[in-house]
Amino acid sequence: MINQAAIKDLIIKMADDELIQGHRNSEWTGLGPVMEEDIAFSSMAQDKIGHAWALYRILHEDLGGEDPDRFAFLRPEKEYRSAHLVEMPNGTYDFSLMRHFLFDQAETIRYESMQESSFESLRLLSKKVKGELKYHTLHANAWVMQLSKAGEESYGRMQQALNDTIALAAGLFEASPEHEAALIEDKVYPGEAELYRRWLDRIYPVLVKASLNLPAITAIKPVYGGRQGIHTIHLQPLLKEMSEVFNLDAEAGW
Amino acid sequence: MSHKTTIAEVYESLEHVMDPEIPVLSVIDLGMITGVELEAGAVHVKMIPTFAACPAVSYIRNNIKTTLENELGIAVSVEVDKEVHWQSNRMTAAAKEKLKNFGIAPPQILAGEVSAEIMLEIPCPHCGSKETYLRSPFGSTLCRAIHFCKACGQVFEQFKPLE
C-alpha cells in the first residue's frame, strides 16, 4: 500500500505550482511584447491550469480530497504548497521568460520521472502532460537562445534574469522531510534530490548554446519555504484576485 | 417492432458529432472515441480530449449524448477514458485531408518525439510549399501552432503533432 499522506503532499505541491504559474502566465494576456507571445503565455496559462485541475481531480477522486474548485480557491494562504518561484510577480519579460524556461524544464523532468510511477493515476496523467509540455520547453528554449544572441543589452538582461531566478527555481526541489523517504521507497517518483540533478543536466546544454553562465552549483542556495506553507508577500494578493469571482458565490453552477 | 441498435449504427451516428473548434472534423475523424458498449438498451461511449486542458470537452461530451439520443432513440452515457491518452497519430488520413482543405495544416505522422526540427518545413495548406518556418508553437487554440510560408507570404495554422 502506497503511503497516501505522502502522495497527497506531492500532488498538492505539483498542482499548486501549476495553478499559480498558470495564473501568472495569464497576466501576460493582452500585454505580451508581440502578439505571438501574448498568445503563447495565454495558451500556457490554459495548459497549466488544466494540468492543475487534473491533479486536484486525482486528489478528489482517488484520495478522498475536496471538490477541485473549492480546493483550488478556498484554502487559506498557509495551506498552499507552491514554491516561491511561481509566486513572484511577472516583472519584465526577460524575468518571466527565464522563469518559464526553468519551471517548464523542471516540470518536464518531474513528469518524465513519473512515467513508471507506482501510483497509477499519476502515471497515466504524466504520460499525457509530458507530450503537451514539449511545446512549452520548445517555446522556452527557442526564446532563451534567441534573446541571448540578440545583442549586448539583450544578452546582459538574460544573464541577469538567470542570476535572479536560479536560486528560486532550485527551490522547486524542496523535499518534504516527513514524506520523501516513503515516496522514494514506494517508487512513486525518484525524489527531489535526483530530480534536481537531472534538471541541472537538462538546462545546462541550452544555457551553453545561449552562451549564458550557470552560476556554480555550490553557489546556488535554493529558496525553500513554499512547500512548508511559508510564502512570499506576493502570494496573498494573487490568491485574493484569483478567487475573487469564485468567492462571489462559491455554490454557483457554471 | 422495436429495432435493436448496433455498434455500427452508433459509430455512424458519432460521425455526425463535429468538433466545435474545427467543424469539418467529427469525433471519429479526430480519433477521440476509445470505446462503444451496448448493454440493456443503453449505449456507453468512452472518449478522450485532444489536449488535457481543452475547454470544449464537456461541450463535446454533451453533443455526443444528445446527437446519439436523437438519432438512435436510446439512452446514452459518455465518460472520459483515463486509460488512453490522445496522440495525433490517432487522426485518420481522411481527417487530415479535410483539415488541409479547411486551411489548417495537418499534424505530421510522429515516428518519435516532438522536437524543434520536426516542426520545420510543414507544407503550407494554401500553396503546398515546404519553404515554411515555425513562428510560434502556440496558436488560436491549444491544439494549433502558427507557421509562416515564405513562398506565398501567408501565416497559417497547423494542428500540432502530439506524442
Side-chain angles (χ1 to χ4, degrees):
Chain A
M1 180 75 179
I2 303 171
N3 184 318
Q4 304 275 301
I7 291 218
K8 274 189 196 172
D9 180 74
L10 179 68
I11 295 179
I12 294 171
K13 285 182 195 178
M14 292 168 65
D16 287 351
D17 275 357
E18 297 249 31
L19 180 70
I20 303 302
Q21 185 59 60
H23 191 80
R24 285 296 184 213
N25 285 349
S26 79
E27 292 175 345
W28 277 110
T29 303
L31 300 172
V34 293
M35 189 194 68
E36 285 86 347
E37 284 311 280
D38 198 308
I39 296 170
F41 271 90
S42 305
S43 296
M44 291 189 290
Q46 197 181 335
D47 270 338
K48 298 281 177 237
I49 292 169
H51 298 159
W53 181 73
L55 288 164
Y56 291 133
R57 260 185 55 163
I58 292 178
L59 283 174
H60 178 54
E61 291 175 5
D62 301 342
L63 299 162
E66 225 188 325
D67 166 74
D69 282 346
R70 300 185 65 87
F71 192 72
F73 295 120
L74 297 179
R75 271 175 295 163
E77 185 215 30
K78 64 176 178 6
E79 288 180 22
Y80 282 81
R81 292 289 177 267
S82 45
H84 290 192
L85 176 75
V86 299
E87 297 171 11
M88 302 308 278
N90 280 344
T92 47
Y93 185 69
D94 39 6
F95 178 88
S96 276
L97 184 67
M98 191 57 80
R99 167 168 61 184
H100 153 45
F101 167 69
L102 298 174
F103 179 76
D104 279 290
Q105 292 288 1
E107 273 215 302
T108 298
I109 295 287
R110 190 170 291 273
Y111 283 110
E112 278 175 4
S113 83
M114 291 172 178
Q115 301 295 296
E116 304 301 329
S117 175
S118 59
F119 186 54
E120 192 191 15
S121 297
L122 211 46
R123 183 174 70 241
L124 292 171
L125 179 68
S126 70
K127 289 183 194 299
K128 175 93 189 125
V129 173
K130 176 181 161 265
E132 299 185 3
L133 278 179
K134 274 282 160 64
Y135 290 101
H136 295 218
T137 53
L138 205 70
H139 175 262
N141 292 357
W143 277 108
V144 164
M145 288 191 273
Q146 212 161 302
L147 288 180
S148 298
K149 292 175 186 300
E152 204 178 323
E153 188 198 341
S154 188
Y155 174 75
R157 287 177 62 165
M158 292 307 284
Q159 181 65 54
Q160 189 59 49
L162 177 62
N163 298 348
D164 292 343
T165 46
I166 192 75
L168 283 161
L172 290 167
F173 304 95
E174 177 182 5
S176 299
E178 66 275 40
H179 297 308
E180 187 72 347
L183 292 168
I184 298 169
E185 172 80 26
D186 290 344
K187 297 196 165 25
V188 174
Y189 86 134
E192 299 297 331
E194 173 62 17
L195 295 191
Y196 183 51
R197 194 188 59 73
R198 291 183 194 176
W199 174 72
L200 287 168
D201 283 349
R202 189 67 65 88
I203 61 171
Y204 187 69
V206 183
L207 295 174
V208 167
K209 278 190 203 163
S211 308
L212 294 173
N213 299 312
L214 181 66
I217 308 297
T218 48
I220 301 171
K221 298 277 173 262
V223 178
Y224 290 153
R227 307 313 192 190
Q228 317 290 326
I230 302 159
H231 297 288
T232 65
I233 54 164
H234 307 295
L235 184 61
Q236 185 54 47
L238 184 152
L239 293 176
K240 186 173 175 293
E241 185 184 297
M242 194 177 79
S243 57
E244 210 148 26
V245 174
F246 192 82
N247 274 317
L248 286 176
D249 182 358
E251 305 306 322
W254 294 86
Chain B
M1 193 181 107
S2 74
H3 168 76
K4 204 168 179 317
T5 304
T6 64
I7 297 268
E9 285 170 336
V10 176
Y11 275 100
E12 201 185 306
S13 191
L14 284 167
E15 282 177 26
H16 305 150
V17 182
M18 308 316 269
D19 182 277
E21 287 172 347
I22 306 165
V24 293
L25 296 185
S26 72
V27 292
I28 296 288
D29 289 327
L30 280 160
M32 291 172 76
I33 303 300
T34 61
V36 171
E37 279 171 37
L38 279 172
E39 56 172 318
V43 183
H44 186 64
V45 180
K46 283 185 174 178
M47 65 158 289
I48 46 174
T50 52
F51 279 68
C54 176
V57 178
S58 56
Y59 187 80
I60 296 170
R61 255 176 95 161
N62 199 39
N63 279 356
I64 292 175
K65 186 174 159 60
T66 50
T67 304
L68 265 53
E69 283 180 345
N70 287 341
E71 294 188 5
L72 304 171
I74 189 169
V76 178
S77 65
V78 185
E79 92 173 299
V80 173
D81 189 345
K82 289 178 186 163
E83 305 284 316
V84 186
H85 75 270
W86 192 85
Q87 293 168 297
S88 51
N89 285 354
R90 293 180 64 92
M91 204 184 276
T92 63
K96 289 178 184 175
E97 191 60 29
K98 285 189 222 171
L99 200 55
K100 195 180 82 182
N101 294 334
F102 186 61
I104 298 176
Q108 58 278 44
I109 292 168
L110 276 184
E113 299 197 340
V114 169
S115 65
E117 291 70 33
I118 70 149
M119 290 301 284
L120 300 172
E121 298 179 354
I122 300 301
C124 171
H126 306 301
C127 74
S129 170
K130 285 179 109 182
E131 293 285 306
T132 67
Y133 65 87
L134 176 67
R135 188 140 146 189
S136 175
F138 298 98
S140 61
T141 69
L142 285 185
C143 52
R144 302 187 206 178
I146 306 173
H147 296 259
F148 184 77
C149 176
K150 291 187 259 189
C152 70
Q154 288 197 72
V155 168
F156 66 91
E157 288 193 308
Q158 180 205 13
F159 200 114
K160 295 195 271 225
L162 190 68
E163 294 164 18

